[in-house]
Amino acid sequence: MEQEGVFRMTQGWKVLQPLTRTISQIALLFGFAYFGSLLSKVLHLPVPGSIVGIALVFAALHLGWVRLEWIEQGADYLLSKLLLFFVPPAVGILEYKEMFTMSGSRYVLIIIVSTFAVMASTGLVAEFIGKRRGTKAEKEDAAA
Amino acid sequence: MNATGLIYLIVTIAVFWGANKLYQRTRKAYLTPLLVAPVLLMAMLYFTGTPVEVYSGGTRPLTELLQPATVAFAIPLYRQFKLLRKHAVVLVTGVLCGSVVAVLTSVLPAGWIHASPQMIESVAPRSITTPIAMEISRSLGGIPSITAVFVVITGVCGSIIGPLVIRSLHIRSGISRGLLLGMGAHGAGTSKARELGSEEGAVASVAMILAALFTLGLIQPMMAPFS
């Protein structure tokens, strides 16, 4: 009887383990985010706290203070649910609906044209540099 | 947090889940859960006469998770660091060009339609990933919630425009394709890039993070003439 109970508990633990791991990893990321915004505030950095947080996590990983396994599960979970976190702020525009009903369609038009310009210029610049570097590498190969 | 707020928290997750299922079945860019879920929830608030403040209060736990989620961007950046170093010249030049074009072609036309300074500041960071765009908007004096909506519109339009740009301009290399999708349509573009291939997807995620960092650095001096 007792053994069965222990067995059940270990089974239960196995189910819970990935969950507790993800939650504790998210807590660690929360810690980095909090520390990042604290640093940004205390040192009057011109950079938002979340960016300081990104830099801190990156540095901690790079220097080996934090191992990838300690945070990657939590990070992957959060990033896979990222779209959900944007729903409340999107609903929040109800507070400013006058601004949108007045000229919402104009902003959509601006965004469409602007996005096209961004993608076309970025893509063409990247193709141009890629091709130049490609032919340069070919020439070096031919010379060698 | 009161009971109504808590109900809306659960309803938000449920509605999003349903909208996500719909998107996965149809795969139409305009049916993204990022558009469908807020519209349904807004209709719900409207018909039940619930004030937005109650909704925002109840869904606060979700909004709070944006902070660790933003910090979590360090992990893909760390994983793709080799890729970033190998293609540093293309990535940095492309994102630099894209970031400048993004801010200018948003802010200038907004000025032409006589938008208020607050709206101009809200539209300026629209091409980068939502959590950082909202923070930049707040620091400029814009309205983060309006910025979030501009970012969402950018993502939806970008995932439709991106493939058109690739086809019409004959963008052949996987790096350029991923780069323009991540630069032009942040997370939505990155998921589109993953459909094209793993190289495109990896480049797009790096481009998205770089775009956020570059925009952050460039936006203050770029906005100076407008304020």
Side-chain angles (χ1 to χ4, degrees):
Chain A
M1 272 298 270
E2 202 176 302
Q3 256 181 343
E4 203 175 281
V6 171
F7 177 70
R8 256 193 219 140
M9 263 175 67
T10 52
Q11 284 297 92
W13 174 238
K14 262 184 197 152
V15 177
L16 275 176
Q17 208 181 8
L19 188 70
T20 48
R21 192 188 297 154
T22 305
I23 291 173
S24 54
Q25 294 194 353
I26 291 173
L28 186 59
L29 288 168
F30 247 121
F32 271 109
Y34 177 78
F35 193 56
S37 49
L38 194 73
L39 270 184
S40 165
K41 226 174 271 167
V42 171
L43 300 177
H44 300 287
L45 299 175
V47 188
S50 54
I51 304 279
V52 180
I54 293 180
L56 287 176
V57 174
F58 192 89
L61 285 168
H62 200 71
L63 298 172
W65 294 347
V66 169
R67 300 223 322 249
L68 199 55
E69 307 92 89
W70 295 356
I71 43 173
E72 69 179 338
Q73 207 169 311
D76 286 341
Y77 181 81
L78 285 176
L79 290 176
S80 73
K81 297 279 173 284
L82 199 58
L83 293 187
L84 171 63
F85 309 145
F86 301 148
V87 172
V91 174
I93 62 146
L94 273 182
E95 279 182 68
Y96 311 98
K97 55 175 180 274
E98 306 80 40
M99 287 185 182
F100 260 89
T101 42
M102 255 166 51
S103 45
S105 55
R106 290 187 194 165
Y107 284 106
V108 173
L109 190 67
I110 291 175
I111 290 174
I112 290 174
V113 174
S114 171
T115 302
F116 184 87
V118 170
M119 287 182 157
S121 59
T122 308
L124 289 175
V125 164
E127 279 290 272
F128 179 72
I129 295 173
K131 261 182 206 147
R132 266 190 50 179
R133 288 171 69 89
T135 49
K136 214 171 119 205
E138 269 168 37
K139 269 181 201 158
E140 275 162 16
D141 281 350
Chain B
M1 193 204 305
N2 57 27
T4 325
L6 187 67
I7 290 168
Y8 269 108
L9 175 62
I10 297 162
V11 167
T12 299
I13 296 172
V15 166
F16 181 81
W17 184 83
N20 205 21
K21 277 272 174 292
L22 174 77
Y23 174 70
Q24 259 150 19
R25 197 160 294 172
T26 57
R27 291 266 160 211
K28 296 269 182 264
Y30 56 85
L31 284 180
T32 169
L34 217 40
L35 208 59
V36 174
V39 168
L40 286 176
L41 288 162
M42 280 190 240
M44 226 177 265
L45 291 181
Y46 180 76
F47 286 118
T48 56
T50 316
V52 193
E53 298 78 48
V54 173
Y55 178 82
S56 309
T59 50
R60 223 192 136 78
L62 284 182
T63 320
E64 286 295 315
L65 280 170
L66 267 177
Q67 290 177 36
T70 312
V71 172
F73 278 120
I75 281 83
L77 192 64
Y78 180 77
R79 281 195 197 125
Q80 305 293 348
F81 196 57
K82 257 192 201 143
L83 182 106
L84 175 62
R85 270 170 65 168
K86 192 174 163 203
H87 302 291
V89 178
V90 179
L91 284 169
V92 168
T93 324
V95 172
L96 200 62
C97 164
S99 302
V100 172
V101 171
V103 175
L104 287 183
T105 59
S106 305
V107 166
L108 290 175
W112 298 336
I113 64 165
H114 305 292
S116 67
Q118 213 174 21
M119 283 303 264
I120 295 180
E121 282 145 6
S122 305
V123 82
R126 56 138 204 102
S127 193
I128 62 173
T129 189
T130 317
I132 303 172
M134 285 168 71
E135 284 222 37
I136 292 180
S137 169
R138 190 178 296 126
S139 71
L140 287 175
I143 303 162
S145 175
I146 291 188
T147 301
V149 173
F150 286 146
V151 175
V152 169
I153 298 172
T154 302
V156 174
C157 296
S159 49
I160 299 169
I161 296 171
L164 292 177
V165 170
I166 289 173
R167 235 175 297 142
S168 61
L169 297 179
H170 307 291
I171 308 291
R172 296 231 162 73
S173 86
I175 304 202
S176 313
R177 290 178 172 187
L179 188 53
L180 76 87
L181 284 167
M183 174 65 235
H186 50 90
T190 303
S191 66
K192 195 89 219 158
R194 281 204 195 98
E195 290 172 21
L196 299 179
S198 63
E199 187 187 40
E200 283 88 344
V203 171
S205 64
V206 172
M208 173 179 76
I209 304 166
L210 283 183
L213 299 177
F214 283 18
T215 304
L216 179 79
L218 291 170
I219 208 155
Q220 295 278 10
M222 285 186 72
M223 291 294 287
F226 301 97
S227 49

